Amino acid sequence: MPEFKHVVVVSDGIRGHYHQSGGIAEWIERLSGAKFEDTINIPKFSGLKKIIELKISARKLKTGDKTAARDWLQNLEIDFNADPDTLFISAGSSAAPFCLAMARATDNKCAVIMTPSMLGTKPFDYAIIPEHDPHDPLDKKIFTTLGAPNHIYIPELKNIGKAFFSGKSFFTEKIVAVLIGGTDANYNPNTEWAQKVLSYLAYVKDITILLTTSRRTSEALDDEIIKMFEKNPSVGYMAIMSKHPEINSLTAMLGTATHVLVTEDSVSMVSEAATAGFKVGLIRVPRITNPIKSMLGYGAQRFDELFAKMANQGLIEDLGDNPDFVNFLEPYEQKHYQDFNEAKKAAQWILESR
């Protein structure tokens, strides 16, 4: 097992990306004793500067040359130090060049989560890629995950839930976490969908609903959800991200709930709920059709393959386009009772691969 002494997360500020890289970093600390102490936040670029620095200039980092890495960082006026035996880890394309450059400039190792555009995975020492994303199955530097690795750690969940909901009483035994995503290149949950599908939750008796939307949820859908649920006596808690983006209640909700419902557009939230031990009720949403993407095997269909595999393992139950919430919520709780933790597996692989 490698003797990393330090783990540093290089973050682009996107919470979902941090949960992936931080989750693996935490497991490396638990398994090896390496200290996860630091997070480096990369500078924010936009427009032409983002293209020049992160797409064009960063190409020189593909060589893995120490001098090129130092020059690239100095050109961006980034000055930092790192101890020997440090692992740098990042998620997403924006943070990847910084992660690679910092590791190379200090003679350390680096791990990337998801395939970064322009750079690819080859310059990195370790790559953690969802198996539903394109990758080379013969590349020994790639570890594939079922869904997204994340920060969920079951021994801490109940205490996080108790602390977050301290002073709040829920009067039903069944507590249902409802996790709603938003629009992206493949999916478009909208107000019409909410009126058709989510409204049926109002008819389920003897449950308490804990509901959160995401940063991708449109303001129109957020407003519709508020209109539908704010006066519903079954709702014990509601976090609307367009109104309060600073709130981070998902982990607390998973530590309190007996059942979890998640919209299909968020692989991250589905993965987090499954890691927390729940058999996830998967809610289908309207799709954005793209014939070219479908022909090439991209788009929503590759996520269908992921969800089918998760369903076969008992991690989710696909509720379809017209979900029967009453039937899914009938048992006292919906758990899968498996050791499903992709962040832990990725950490073990890194430690065994050095």
Side-chain angles (χ1 to χ4, degrees):
M1 184 173 288
E3 295 180 357
F4 290 123
K5 295 179 181 177
H6 306 277
V7 184
V8 174
V9 166
V10 183
S11 174
D12 59 7
I14 296 175
R15 184 180 291 172
H17 288 171
Y18 182 78
H19 284 171
Q20 294 190 51
S21 52
I24 294 175
E26 288 169 351
W27 270 110
I28 290 174
E29 181 177 56
R30 293 182 189 115
L31 295 170
S32 72
K35 298 299 181 184
F36 171 32
E37 299 171 328
D38 298 315
T39 298
I40 297 175
N41 294 306
I42 67 169
K44 300 289 185 182
F45 298 132
S46 60
L48 183 60
K49 187 170 179 61
K50 182 176 182 179
I51 295 173
I52 292 173
E53 300 297 351
L54 302 187
K55 303 292 185 182
I56 299 174
S57 178
R59 286 182 179 180
K60 67 182 69 173
L61 300 173
K62 283 188 173 186
T63 64
D65 180 77
K66 181 176 182 177
T67 301
R70 285 180 172 176
D71 290 346
W72 188 79
L73 291 168
Q74 287 176 359
N75 181 59
L76 296 175
E77 299 181 345
I78 295 175
D79 185 25
F80 78 105
N81 295 307
D83 294 320
D85 298 313
T86 293
L87 175 69
F88 290 86
I89 183 168
S90 69
S93 292
S94 294
F98 295 91
C99 179
L100 176 61
M102 289 173 181
R104 291 293 174 265
T106 56
D107 293 317
N108 280 301
K109 300 284 188 179
C110 56
V112 67
I113 304 168
M114 299 182 290
T115 303
S117 59
M118 305 306 292
L119 286 177
T121 60
K122 291 191 180 300
F124 295 85
D125 299 293
Y126 314 99
I128 297 93
I129 310 297
E131 62 179 55
H132 59 271
D133 280 357
H135 64 276
D136 180 358
L138 300 179
D139 191 338
K140 294 183 179 180
K141 293 199 301 181
I142 292 178
F143 179 82
T144 58
T145 61
L146 183 62
N150 55 77
H151 67 302
I152 297 299
Y153 184 50
I154 288 179
E156 297 177 347
L157 281 182
K158 288 193 180 298
N159 287 336
I160 292 172
K162 286 179 181 178
F164 188 89
F165 293 113
S166 176
K168 200 168 183 59
S169 298
F170 302 124
F171 298 104
T172 62
E173 290 184 335
K174 295 179 184 178
I175 300 174
V176 184
V178 183
L179 315 180
I180 300 170
T183 302
D184 61 16
N186 300 302
Y187 301 102
N188 183 34
N190 51 39
T191 56
E192 292 79 8
W193 162 80
Q195 292 164 359
K196 177 184 176 182
V197 175
L198 290 185
S199 60
Y200 283 100
L201 278 174
Y203 298 100
V204 182
K205 297 180 180 180
D206 300 321
I207 64 171
T208 296
I209 295 172
L210 313 179
L211 185 151
T212 185
T213 60
S214 81
R215 283 160 179 76
R216 290 185 294 104
T217 312
S218 69
E219 191 167 356
L221 179 53
D222 273 344
D223 289 341
E224 180 65 27
I225 289 169
I226 291 171
K227 185 170 70 174
M228 290 171 59
F229 287 102
E230 67 177 344
K231 295 182 180 179
N232 187 322
S234 295
V235 176
Y237 174 81
M238 189 162 60
I240 303 299
M241 290 297 102
S242 64
K243 314 301 180 185
H244 301 284
E246 75 285 354
I247 294 176
N248 185 15
S249 57
L250 187 146
T251 306
M253 291 167 64
L254 295 178
T256 306
T258 57
H259 302 69
V260 178
L261 300 167
V262 187
T263 56
E264 66 172 313
D265 57 275
S266 181
V267 170
S268 293
M269 290 196 294
V270 171
S271 301
E272 287 169 335
T275 304
F278 290 96
K279 183 177 182 180
V280 181
L282 188 73
I283 306 175
R284 296 294 186 172
V285 300
R287 298 185 172 192
I288 298 172
T289 56
N290 186 317
I292 296 176
K293 276 188 176 182
S294 298
M295 183 176 63
L296 295 174
Y298 294 99
Q301 68 186 53
R302 63 193 176 104
F303 300 112
D304 286 339
E305 295 171 5
L306 162 68
F307 294 138
K309 190 164 187 177
M310 295 184 79
N312 286 337
Q313 294 187 21
L315 300 172
I316 69 170
E317 182 173 327
D318 187 348
L319 302 182
D321 295 324
N322 297 295
D324 184 349
F325 292 124
V326 173
N327 184 62
F328 179 76
L329 298 174
E330 178 64 27
Y332 171 73
E333 63 178 10
Q334 282 281 18
K335 297 290 184 75
H336 58 68
Y337 302 106
Q338 299 179 48
D339 182 16
F340 177 72
N341 195 313
E342 299 300 87
K344 180 181 179 180
K345 292 177 184 176
Q348 289 172 325
W349 171 77
I350 290 173
L351 293 172
E352 293 168 357
S353 298
R354 186 174 181 187

